[in-house]
Amino acid sequence: MSFQDKRTFSNWAIGIVAGIVAIALFAAVLIITRPLGTSQTEAEAKQPTSTQETSKNSPSASPNPESSGVDNPGQSVEITSATSLDPFGDNNEHPELQHLLIDGETGPAWYSRFYNAPNFAGMKPGIGIALTLNREAAIEEVVIHSDAVGGSFELRATSADDPTGGTVLAQGSFDHVTTVKVTDTTKTSSVVLWCKELPHTSDGRNRLSISEIAIKGN
């Protein structure tokens, strides 16, 4: 074999060896990296399951107690008439202003005469307001807007003819906005707000002053 043939053969052999080495290196890389890729894929596949389990145990999945509607009051009950009552006096507790009790405004107000003492100066046991409803209902809530605070009242399931009779549905004292919650289920088509002790206005007078009354029930 000539020198030139030997040199050609040597170059050819080197090429084959280099190719074998490259193939071996490529195979080694595949073997090394394949387990890592499989591990990541499995971890990613497990991730959604973990997220779903977290959601099931999360407090946010619990029902919102405020959306249950248990404490929601009933529907509005229309008050067709309001009458000031003074059955133990002269029935003159400003009846000309009684329409202001249910005019839908909390500005102008009905008010009683003022007295020298919260107990009507011993002249009478009380005064009241009779409210006639457009239907029979079990009263659940009464909202009273007033510029007088204190005193005491009773909410009665009765009419103007018997203002101190009937069932006492609730009782309390006056505030600027008084929300009366009623749990008694007595149904009635009229109620009386009976004032047993007068509240006092901002100018210190003992008198009852109410600008609006609203009722809800079923």
Side-chain angles (χ1 to χ4, degrees):
M1 180 180 295
S2 66
F3 175 79
Q4 185 65 33
D5 292 337
K6 289 180 179 180
R7 185 174 181 180
T8 301
F9 177 81
S10 177
N11 290 340
W12 180 78
I14 291 171
I16 292 175
V17 172
I20 293 172
V21 171
I23 292 171
L25 288 173
F26 180 77
V29 169
L30 289 178
I31 293 172
I32 293 172
T33 58
R34 183 170 181 176
L36 180 60
T38 302
S39 175
Q40 291 175 342
T41 302
E42 290 175 354
E44 292 171 356
K46 293 179 180 179
Q47 186 63 32
T49 302
S50 175
T51 301
Q52 292 171 359
E53 291 174 355
T54 301
S55 298
K56 290 178 182 178
N57 297 326
S58 173
S60 62
S62 301
N64 184 354
E66 295 182 358
S67 64
S68 63
V70 173
D71 295 330
N72 290 341
Q75 298 177 347
S76 295
V77 178
E78 182 184 351
I79 303 172
T80 57
S81 68
T83 306
S84 64
L85 302 176
D86 183 21
F88 300 99
D90 58 3
N91 280 310
N92 195 28
E93 294 290 345
H94 292 293
E96 75 280 3
L97 300 176
Q98 61 195 18
H99 66 282
L100 297 175
L101 292 161
I102 55 171
D103 66 346
E105 302 288 339
T106 56
W110 166 89
Y111 51 85
S112 72
R113 291 173 288 191
F114 67 89
Y115 293 79
N116 291 332
N119 67 346
F120 303 92
M123 298 170 61
K124 60 189 72 173
I127 59 175
I129 297 169
L131 304 170
T132 303
L133 313 181
N134 71 331
R135 61 183 173 88
E136 189 175 68
I139 308 301
E140 294 186 357
E141 180 182 282
V142 178
V143 179
I144 305 165
H145 294 263
S146 174
D147 64 357
V149 297
S152 66
F153 67 82
E154 294 174 339
L155 182 69
R156 291 178 169 269
T158 186
S159 65
D161 296 331
D162 186 18
T164 58
T167 302
V168 177
L169 302 176
Q171 54 190 336
S173 60
F174 294 98
D175 204 341
H176 293 299
V177 179
T178 305
T179 300
V180 184
K181 297 291 186 180
V182 180
T183 57
D184 191 294
T185 57
T186 299
K187 287 199 170 187
T188 182
S189 58
S190 62
V191 294
V192 168
L193 180 67
W194 184 251
C195 178
K196 301 168 60 179
E197 181 181 330
L198 289 166
H200 60 273
T201 57
S202 57
D203 59 5
R205 292 186 172 188
N206 300 302
R207 72 178 182 185
L208 183 57
S209 176
I210 297 176
S211 61
E212 191 68 21
I213 301 177
I215 293 178
K216 289 184 178 180
N218 285 307

